[in-house]
Amino acid sequence: MTSLNDEQLLQYSNRSKGKVVLVTGAASGIGKETALVFARFKAKLVLGDLNAAGIDEVVTEIRKSGGYAVGQRCDVTNWDSQLALFELGISSFGAIDVVVANAGIYESADFLVSQVVDGKLRKPATATLDVNINGVVYSTSLALHYLELNRASPSDLKTIVVMGSMASWVCVPSAPMYTASKHAVLGFARSVAATVKGRNIRVNVIHPFFSTTNILNAVNTVFVAGLPMVPVNRIAASTLYAATHPDLETTGSVFALIDDGLVLLLENEIIKGGVYDIFSARAARLTT
């Protein structure tokens, strides 16, 4: 296990210069901050979000600072919508080098409350699964094609970074759909990482504890009040670090941000061991 401070998270940032980085869910929160940190280090940004006006604002901000960015409305649950975003990247910059599958939502409905309409029990709302699982699967599938398109050299920087959560490891009370979705993306991403390692494509997952973004509803904002929030800019810097790390042996590794302190890089060989003690200790603060 390696502990990383804010300065260390930026040590490979020069590798992002001139690279084309596609970010979903980039109109606000972690996605926006991720786009801005890559732009700061001279990457070219391709940004998508359901919030078209928000995307326009981020693109404008990057361009005003002298950077390069394009963006459009993107529904990650719609294959054609994501396809169009990737095509925008190719038509604008000729290649895609890094894909950050960031778009995600929290629990969309109370799973424990039966929904009866006209005397009939309605099926559970699955929007959280649609966005957090299907959206990531679509982004990753497209990435595996577009990262190879116009690739100049097998050694070129090519990376997929998936936004997980502490809920990838421990349950979040009253959020079974969110917990299930984040467990799923961890397993999915680790399997993809092992599968494409021979193609020199990195795949990593970022696992932040709660941060001050708009993903939490009012009830859960109260629930986590008083607990140390993870700074959004540190999550973004961790994404930059994961994307630009030069050692392919770290592909599939986990980046855990369990509080407002150091980032933990958990190498694959310890994921099945002591890391659960770390996460369990943190989760205990939620349930006691």
Side-chain angles (χ1 to χ4, degrees), residues 31-278:
K32 176 181 178 179
E33 191 66 30
T34 298
L36 294 178
V37 75
F38 272 103
R40 173 184 163 194
F41 292 104
K42 309 305 181 184
K44 302 172 183 178
L45 279 303
V46 183
L47 308 178
D49 197 289
L50 272 176
N51 180 358
I55 282 295
D56 289 343
E57 290 176 3
V58 179
V59 168
T60 299
E61 182 175 349
I62 291 172
R63 290 177 177 175
K64 283 184 175 179
S65 67
Y68 299 91
V70 294
Q72 64 188 29
R73 185 183 186 277
C74 177
D75 176 359
V76 295
T77 68
N78 183 292
W79 172 265
D80 290 334
S81 185
Q82 283 216 52
L83 178 62
L85 184 65
F86 278 79
E87 283 293 321
L88 175 65
I90 295 298
S91 63
S92 300
F93 302 122
I96 295 173
D97 302 297
V98 176
V99 173
V100 182
N102 165 75
I105 63 173
Y106 198 62
E107 205 80 358
S108 61
D110 190 338
F111 184 77
L112 300 179
V113 176
S114 298
Q115 301 293 325
V116 179
V117 178
D118 297 330
K120 293 183 179 180
L121 189 62
R122 188 163 58 179
K123 66 180 182 181
T126 59
T128 302
L129 304 181
D130 296 336
V131 173
N132 295 3
I133 300 178
N134 292 344
V136 168
V137 170
Y138 291 170
S139 296
T140 303
S141 179
L142 288 162
L144 292 177
H145 171 77
Y146 282 94
L147 292 179
E148 300 281 18
L149 203 60
N150 301 329
R151 185 174 190 171
S153 167
S155 62
D156 282 353
L157 172 68
K158 298 290 179 178
T159 306
I160 301 168
V161 181
V162 175
M163 192 57 59
S165 166
M166 291 304 290
S168 299
W169 301 88
V170 296
C171 78
V172 177
S174 302
M177 294 289 191
Y178 182 77
T179 301
S181 70
K182 292 303 183 179
H183 271 64
V185 298
L186 172 59
F188 173 74
R190 291 189 68 206
S191 178
V192 172
T195 304
V196 303
K197 185 177 179 181
R199 293 166 55 182
N200 199 29
I201 297 175
R202 292 177 53 79
V203 183
N204 286 106
V205 190
I206 310 297
H207 297 278
F209 185 61
F210 292 117
S211 61
T212 52
T213 67
N214 58 6
I215 194 172
L216 291 178
N217 57 34
V219 172
N220 285 283
T221 299
V222 173
F223 179 69
V224 300
L227 295 179
M229 297 286 108
V230 178
V232 175
N233 62 344
R234 188 166 297 147
I235 302 172
S238 299
T239 302
L240 175 70
Y241 182 91
T244 56
H245 199 294
D247 186 0
L248 196 62
E249 289 306 309
T250 61
T251 187
S253 298
V254 163
F255 292 82
L257 295 86
I258 58 178
D259 51 27
D260 55 356
L262 298 176
V263 176
L264 303 179
L265 169 58
L266 306 169
E267 294 82 3
N268 288 320
E269 62 269 20
I270 71 163
I271 283 179
K272 296 178 181 178
V275 65
Y276 284 100
D277 291 335
I278 297 171

